[in-house]
Amino acid sequence: MSDILSYLSDFSDKTFAEQPFGIADNFCLSALSYFDISPVGDRISGGSSMTIHDMVGALDLSAVETRGLVTFPVVFMQLMAASKRFGDTLVSDYTEIMDTERECQFAAFRYTMSDGAAYFAFRGTDASVIGWKEDFLLACGETAAQRSAVKWLEHAIKGVRRRRPCYVGGHSKGGNLAVYAGAYCNEETFERITTVYSNDGPGLCRDWTPDSRIERVRPLVVKIVPEYSIVGMLFPDGIPFRIVKSTGNGSYQHNIFTWQLAADARPVYTDAIDRDAARINAGFRTWINGEDMDHRVDFINNIFDAMQEEDTTTLAGATSFDGWERILFKIARRRTIWSTVKNLFSSFIRAFTDKDSEDYGRMTAMITGIGMIIIGFLILVLTDIAFMVVGAGISLMAFILMISRAFHNAHRDLPKENRAVLIAADCTAAAIVPFLSWSASSLKETSAVLLGAALFAYGCYIFAALLKNRGNRLLAFRASCAIENALAIFGLPIDFARWYLIATGMNIVMLGFLHIYGGQEPLR
């Protein structure tokens, strides 16, 4: 198997007359559109053109950037320029728009090959905040980039001689723009389109796209997505797709340079989307379907307006060390966003915690493990006040639990005397917690008792599971860690136990990792 770099090496001496245009060529040209060729932009726009060979030769390759989140290898451009297959391909009709007021990030190229066929390439999302906001707005209606794509294609296709193949394509958002342009262009342009390529591009949102437009373009579309596809699975529109194998891990499979090709330059296909990616996609679909259009727009504006208030123009600025927290605080103050955030989290919780699924045990073990790691690190970092922090948290949880139980028992269908006893017990238990934690010194002692009790209870729970799974060393280690730390906290003086909490924090972190990496055998 190979990738597009190997393809360029293996087929560099094949002309399009010898090897007809195929999906691998579409991969190459859509990837080429990500490179920043603005230094020679005036020589490939406004009716002017250059060959790929001349264009690459005119660029300072040491300074060429990739207009995307992932940096593509510059050697790719050199291989394109040096090949007999692509070197003589003309680049023209270059257009690039970055308009903050219109919220538009758009770039497009026409590649005219040696046999007269043309490939109209739309660039995907770059690293700009405007580009990413426009991606989110795909769920809310027609975007400025989509309008620009239709207008540009209708103009650029006039420069191609009649009866020559016309391919339209792009990667990521570029794939969406290609499909949209095919769905909404005028009839004269549509009749000239041979194929529309969507390389892991989002679909057309059916909330506002008429079925007639989707049905119009469907027969022309060739859609390719990797196994771990998130972007390409957004807004399923019913257009068929094929799944290509990738050497990337997780979301990095979105990188087109990781997609696998066979010796004959055809993609190496597989049968199914990765299970974890499918769950993420289900979470997004549940959330989008549960939000009306006004809430979607409000949610997106809240997030990106907060970034603009920070004068952030790129995602790198938004995620800098001191940038992301200020943006999060600004978002948190926008109260209208909270219902949408709540729906987003609940959608993903439902997607990942389906008890009937094979992954339920693994996911719950992972969530538990992550929680334990966070608690363990907090204990390690906040050792001097760990008893206070942990004790206060456990105390508050216990108080809320007892009060909620009292309300629950008050509405249970029980004899009056039984109900009164249960309510009294719950209220008494709820009152004990603040009584024990009345002062800082007593809170410290109470924290030690509560933390020890929690660890001891956890150890007993694991030990009970151990009895059901004899010979399981993982469960034995979990139980011994928990009970050992519990007994140490119970038996040591408070001042010394506070320092011993460092070891406790380390063990909790280890237990968390054991939950994550040993969670295939869930405890139920």
Side-chain angles (χ1 to χ4, degrees), residues 155-483:
H155 168 76
I157 207 167
K158 293 177 181 177
V160 181
R161 288 191 295 172
R162 290 281 178 180
R163 298 185 179 85
R164 298 294 181 180
C166 292
Y167 309 104
V168 184
H171 173 261
S172 193
K173 185 181 79 172
N176 173 274
L177 296 180
V179 175
Y180 186 89
Y184 281 86
C185 65
N186 59 38
E187 196 62 33
E188 180 183 357
T189 300
F190 180 78
E191 289 177 355
R192 301 196 59 188
I193 297 175
T194 306
T195 307
V196 176
Y197 291 100
S198 177
N199 303 302
D200 206 25
L204 302 179
C205 184
R206 302 198 79 141
D207 287 354
W208 56 268
T209 307
D211 289 343
S212 58
R213 291 292 178 178
I214 296 174
E215 292 304 318
R216 181 199 198 199
V217 74
R218 182 203 301 271
L220 300 179
V221 177
V222 173
K223 182 169 182 175
I224 308 293
V225 303
E227 295 170 89
Y228 200 100
S229 175
I230 303 298
V231 176
M233 293 291 99
L234 292 174
F235 317 122
D237 50 19
I239 291 177
F241 57 87
R242 297 291 303 273
I243 305 167
V244 64
K245 281 185 172 293
S246 167
T247 57
N249 293 321
S251 58
Y252 192 71
Q253 291 188 14
H254 186 58
N255 182 350
I256 202 168
F257 280 83
T258 69
W259 296 3
Q260 294 295 281
L261 299 171
D264 62 357
R266 295 184 182 182
V268 179
Y269 293 117
T270 186
D271 295 329
I273 294 293
D274 180 89
R275 193 174 295 169
D276 289 340
R279 291 192 175 281
I280 294 173
N281 298 328
F284 273 122
R285 282 197 299 273
T286 301
W287 173 58
I288 291 172
N289 292 337
E291 291 290 334
D292 61 38
M293 202 66 72
D294 290 339
H295 283 160
R296 295 181 199 175
V297 174
D298 190 51
F299 175 74
I300 295 165
N301 285 335
N302 270 294
I303 292 176
F304 289 95
D305 288 351
M307 291 185 182
Q308 290 174 347
E309 287 177 16
E310 283 295 312
D311 199 24
T312 300
T313 58
T314 65
L315 291 187
T319 56
S320 63
F321 181 76
D322 60 347
W324 67 270
E325 60 230 55
R326 293 198 306 269
I327 292 171
L328 284 179
F329 279 120
K330 288 181 181 294
I331 293 172
R333 288 200 297 269
R334 301 168 186 266
R335 298 192 178 277
T336 56
I337 202 174
W338 286 111
S339 64
T340 303
V341 171
K342 177 184 175 183
N343 291 339
L344 176 62
F345 276 103
S346 63
S347 297
F348 277 93
I349 289 172
R350 288 196 297 272
F352 279 95
T353 57
D354 178 9
K355 290 188 177 183
D356 295 328
S357 73
E358 297 178 8
D359 291 336
Y360 175 72
R362 183 162 60 89
M363 291 306 303
T364 51
M366 181 174 291
I367 292 169
T368 302
I370 291 172
M372 295 183 77
I373 291 171
I374 292 172
I375 292 172
F377 274 118
L378 286 176
I379 291 175
L380 288 171
V381 174
L382 304 173
T383 304
D384 289 340
I385 58 172
F387 279 130
M388 302 279 286
V389 173
V390 175
I394 296 176
S395 299
L396 180 61
M397 290 173 60
F399 180 78
I400 294 174
L401 176 62
M402 291 300 104
I403 293 297
S404 64
R405 279 182 56 84
F407 278 103
H408 173 70
N409 287 327
H411 293 87
R412 291 179 66 183
D413 186 16
L414 294 172
K416 186 176 181 180
E417 295 79 6
N418 293 355
R419 192 164 59 242
V421 170
L422 289 173
I423 293 172
D426 292 333
C427 292
T428 302
I432 288 175
V433 174
F435 175 77
L436 292 174
S437 308
W438 187 259
S439 66
S441 60
S442 63
L443 177 59
K444 187 180 293 186
E445 295 177 1
T446 304
S447 298
V449 174
L450 289 172
L451 181 59
L455 284 169
F456 188 77
Y458 174 77
C460 291
Y461 172 63
I462 300 296
F463 186 72
L466 178 61
L467 295 179
K468 297 179 181 179
N469 299 271
R470 293 182 180 179
N472 190 318
R473 295 180 180 179
L474 175 60
L475 292 179
F477 183 76
R478 292 180 189 173
S480 62
C481 280
I483 295 176

Side-chain angles (χ1 to χ4, degrees), residues 7-8 16 25 28-29 52 80 83-89:
Y7 168 72
L8 286 174
F16 287 102
D25 300 305
C28 291
L29 293 173
I52 291 179
M80 291 278 285
S83 70
K84 185 177 178 182
R85 188 167 183 81
F86 288 105
D88 292 334
T89 296

Side-chain angles (χ1 to χ4, degrees), residues 36 67 71 159 269 357 359 387 489 497 506:
D36 179 16
R67 295 291 196 182
T71 300
Y269 293 117
S357 73
D359 291 336
F387 279 130
I489 292 174
M506 293 175 66

